[in-house]
Amino acid sequence: MTDRQHRPAIVGDDSGPKAPYPLRMKGKVVKGFGRGSAELGIPTANLTDDSILDLLAHADSGIYFGFGQVVFSSGGEAIDKQVHPMVMSVGWNPYYKNEKRSAEVHIMHKFHSNFYDQELRILVLGYVRPELDYVSVEALIKDINTDIKVSEASLARETYNAYRKDSLFENVN
Ligand code: ADP
Ligand code: RBF
Ligand code: MG
């Protein structure tokens, strides 16, 4: 259906996030639909339903950008505590015809392992685009990869990058 050729390389006001952003949330990472890595090659962490209630109340369906941090309760990456750029999809996944609105987060970082059951903290700083239906899974993957580039470029501005030090995040160095 949709195959948009032209997309802006950067989104959000240069002077920094505008209301209702920043939106903050934290929750436990739970199992999703098992499609992210398997079909798209892009893992997306799902949060528990209760941790996204506030987000769903403020955010339309669509794609958002910001920063995320996994707070590992134990194990090898426990000392990592890094804050990474992230993209988040909020909605019904029209391409897959889901029956429940959900939020899933792809973090732009190569983790050594899965982090189910760990705490994920998410700071949403802006909106990228509406949720779309696609002719093919390839077209969806192409747009997600553009979302990742657009989000990284948007977050690199100092007015956004400064939010890495937000009080939401633990032990930021
Ligand atoms: P599910 O359907 O259970 O969400 P996915 O195939 O979408 O499964 O994979 C998501 C899981 O992969 C996350 O819950 C997390 O444990 C792990 N993961 C590893 N690296 C990342 C990453 N960079 N971003 C998001 N999740 C990741
Ligand atoms: N699903 C859609 O049906 N339409 C979209 O426009 C869409 N955009 C996405 C953008 C990003 C950045 C991510 C991470 C996911 C997006 N998805 C979209 C969700 C995708 O269908 C989902 O990750 C897989 O179904 C795995 O649950
Ligand atoms: Mg997923």
Side-chain angles (χ1 to χ4, degrees), residues 10-12 22 26-27 37-38 40 42 48 52-53 70 80 101 112 142 165 169:
I10 205 157
V11 292
K26 39 173 122 171
S37 307
L40 306 178
I42 303 162
T48 54
I52 59 169
L53 283 178
V70 183
D80 176 89
R101 210 162 160 237
H112 301 300
K142 190 163 170 261
K165 297 197 168 66
F169 300 124

Side-chain angles (χ1 to χ4, degrees), residues 29-38 42-46 104-111 113-116:
V29 176
V30 294
K31 284 267 175 195
F33 309 102
R35 289 192 297 248
S37 307
I42 303 162
T44 56
N46 289 66
E104 41 184 321
V105 178
H106 173 69
I107 300 177
M108 280 80 106
H109 178 71
K110 177 96 186 94
F111 290 92
S113 56
N114 288 338
F115 44 85
Y116 290 111

Side-chain angles (χ1 to χ4, degrees), residues 15-169:
S15 66
K18 295 280 165 303
Y21 314 110
L23 293 170
R24 297 175 177 84
M25 76 206 80
K26 39 173 122 171
K28 200 173 84 166
V29 176
V30 294
K31 284 267 175 195
F33 309 102
R35 289 192 297 248
S37 307
E39 278 185 40
L40 306 178
I42 303 162
T44 56
N46 289 66
L47 288 166
T48 54
D49 288 345
D50 58 304
S51 57
I52 59 169
L53 283 178
D54 193 45
L55 168 80
L56 296 182
H58 290 92
D60 292 334
S61 293
I63 315 308
Y64 294 82
F65 70 93
F67 290 111
Q69 179 186 46
V70 183
V71 181
F72 291 90
S73 56
S74 64
E77 289 182 84
I79 42 163
D80 176 89
K81 300 269 171 69
Q82 282 186 74
V83 175
H84 303 287
M86 68 87 199
V87 280
M88 183 175 70
S89 164
V90 176
W92 302 94
N93 295 184
Y95 181 75
Y96 288 101
K97 303 187 169 47
N98 283 358
E99 305 200 331
K100 195 172 75 173
R101 210 162 160 237
S102 67
E104 41 184 321
V105 178
H106 173 69
I107 300 177
M108 280 80 106
H109 178 71
K110 177 96 186 94
F111 290 92
H112 301 300
S113 56
N114 288 338
F115 44 85
Y116 290 111
D117 288 333
Q118 306 299 321
E119 186 183 284
L120 178 60
R121 299 187 183 184
I122 293 297
L123 184 70
V124 181
L125 295 177
Y127 178 78
V128 181
R129 64 169 175 92
E131 187 181 44
L132 301 171
D133 201 348
Y134 288 89
V135 279
S136 66
V137 71
E138 289 76 20
L140 171 61
I141 292 171
K142 190 163 170 261
D143 250 4
I144 293 178
N145 283 316
T146 303
D147 295 331
I148 291 171
K149 287 205 196 87
V150 170
S151 298
E152 286 175 336
S154 300
L155 290 165
R157 292 171 293 185
E158 197 41 43
T159 44
Y160 290 80
N161 194 52
Y163 281 90
R164 286 174 179 275
K165 297 197 168 66
D166 193 85
S167 60
L168 172 73
F169 300 124

